[in-house]
Amino acid sequence: MTLHIRDPETWRGAPASPPILIIPGLYNSGPDHWQSHWERSLPGAERVDQQDWERPLLGDWTISLAEAVRRRPGAILVAHSLGCALVAHFARVTGGRGVGGAMLVAPADVNREGPAGRLLVGFSPIPRERLPFPSLVVASRDDPYVEIERAEAFARGWGSDFVDLGRAGHINVASGHGPWPGGRVLLTRLIRKVAGAEARA
């Protein structure tokens, strides 16, 4: 399902407060990034820290995420850029045990050319299997790190709902996404979907 967000409704909070694991991409997310705003403002939010943010190693990053999920069962994963690829690898290796759902924002194409692309080679190829938990991919039409068609293909493979934000850059500070209240609306919808799936189980 593709959603087109133009005038997001006001953040109204979620029906429950599951743990939130913030998963940044390459170089981490700075203090003005929406992930950092959410970490500070969302109840139960915690950042998944990595040993080396500048030279990412898939094995090390996966271990860090697995440990965070072990400590926060039922967590909603909120990933950005390379963090989205990490979630896909984590789900393939672990079967997604302990994860409630995932919001995957601006998934970086790890196969791209250039210096940053070479840093991400260990994350390639990105698994395309269906994720074993409810998920949402949010992408932009002018993201320099992934073409919109590629992001939509990831969403189809993962079985994720897909949100087209239009021309929103890499959905980061540089593209004007500070607190990003519209993203909070999307997160609330995902949490409600997770809660509904758990109630039906």
Side-chain angles (χ1 to χ4, degrees):
M1 176 178 68
T2 299
L3 304 175
H4 296 272
I5 304 300
R6 296 183 182 278
D7 298 306
E9 65 193 76
T10 303
W11 165 254
R12 297 177 181 174
S17 296
I20 304 291
L21 289 177
I22 304 292
I23 306 172
L26 184 66
Y27 306 133
N28 202 354
S29 293
D32 293 327
H33 194 285
W34 59 267
Q35 285 189 310
S36 299
H37 282 281
W38 293 14
E39 181 186 9
R40 292 189 295 265
S41 61
L42 285 172
E46 174 185 322
R47 183 176 305 234
V48 177
D49 284 319
Q50 301 295 350
Q51 294 181 28
D52 192 336
W53 289 105
E54 298 187 0
R55 295 174 180 83
L57 296 176
L58 177 59
D60 290 349
W61 280 37
T62 301
I63 289 170
S64 297
L65 177 54
E67 174 59 21
V69 170
R70 185 192 65 78
R71 290 186 289 101
R72 310 294 295 278
I76 304 296
L77 310 182
V78 179
H80 180 256
S81 195
L82 183 60
C84 301
L86 174 61
V87 170
H89 282 287
F90 170 83
R92 185 182 62 178
V93 170
T94 68
R97 289 184 297 275
V99 175
M103 181 173 174
L104 308 166
V105 181
D109 189 344
V110 300
N111 296 322
R112 68 181 184 273
E113 300 295 328
R118 288 195 291 273
L119 280 174
L120 311 183
V121 67
F123 287 74
S124 178
I126 295 178
R128 303 281 284 273
E129 295 90 351
R130 187 178 184 87
L131 297 176
F133 39 73
S135 58
L136 169 69
V137 171
V138 185
S140 161
R141 291 183 171 271
D142 59 349
D143 190 330
Y145 302 117
V146 65
E147 294 180 355
I148 189 71
E149 295 81 7
R150 183 87 162 143
E152 193 164 8
F154 290 150
R156 285 196 302 270
W158 296 335
S160 308
D161 289 343
F162 183 75
V163 172
D164 178 347
L165 281 190
R167 299 180 65 82
H170 194 43
I171 316 178
N172 57 5
V173 176
S175 60
H177 294 79
W180 192 27
R184 295 274 293 260
V185 172
L186 296 174
L187 177 61
T188 300
R189 292 175 181 169
L190 175 62
I191 292 173
R192 288 176 178 149
K193 182 173 183 177
V194 171
E198 291 174 347
R200 291 190 297 272

